[in-house]
Amino acid sequence: MLVGLFALGVAGVWQAHSGEMGQAVRALPAAITDPQLARSDYVENCGGCHGVDGSAAPAQLPELRDRVGWFMCTREARAYLIRLPNVAHSRIKDNQQLADLMNYVVFGLGGDSAPAEADPFTADEIARERQHALSSISLKAERARHVESAIRQCGAPASLRLLYPGQKG
């Protein structure tokens, strides 16, 4: 039964990525070595909180769908995504596999929010950045700092300040 439910979750993410559920679609980068595994890893490791399609609203954590790609517009914000505790300390120890998952998140779920010139994460980048996991700082304040940079430097929408579209301030 659990395997069937997991397969349905993966299928739902695949359909959402394919545009069959109406979500904006952006091609995944060729750097993802196994797109099916990347989607499965997302559902298993992130989907419980962020939602299988990247929409966690009204949970009190950031919605990823059509928004997370803005964090690829600065080197610091890009590193922040990998340094988040649940990413840096992921049970996925293979750096390429984690890079694939994060590329699925920013380019698949992030849709058009990822800058066209943004390079996919690499295994080397994951290995380097996950050594500097965030722990002693306020994640909320750190996110806010990177959001302000994305708005100022990259033209991200002011609504990125909210955890999810439609959030009551």
Side-chain angles (χ1 to χ4, degrees), residues 3 13 22 29 42-43 52 58-59 74 77 100 108-110 112 118 121 123 133 149 157:
V3 172
V13 172
Y42 171 80
V43 169
V52 295
T74 69
D100 288 349
L109 296 177
D112 289 336
F121 288 111
S149 290

Side-chain angles (χ1 to χ4, degrees), residues 71 73-81 83 142 145-146 149 153:
F71 287 84
C73 77
T74 69
R75 187 173 47 84
E76 294 81 13
R78 180 186 175 102
Y80 159 80
L81 290 177
R83 293 175 178 183
E142 187 71 0
R145 185 172 72 83
H146 294 300
S149 290
Q153 296 177 34

Side-chain angles (χ1 to χ4, degrees), residues 26 54 64 83 85 99 101-102 111 113 119 131 140 147 155 166 168-169:
R26 183 173 193 178
L64 303 174
R83 293 175 178 183
L101 177 140
M102 292 305 294
S113 66
D119 291 324
Q131 292 178 38
K140 186 176 180 179
V147 164
K168 305 270 189 235

Side-chain angles (χ1 to χ4, degrees), residues 146-169:
H146 294 300
V147 164
E148 291 307 316
S149 290
I151 292 169
R152 192 174 50 258
Q153 296 177 34
C154 309
S159 63
L160 192 61
R161 290 182 180 115
L162 305 174
L163 291 179
Y164 55 89
Q167 175 188 14
K168 305 270 189 235

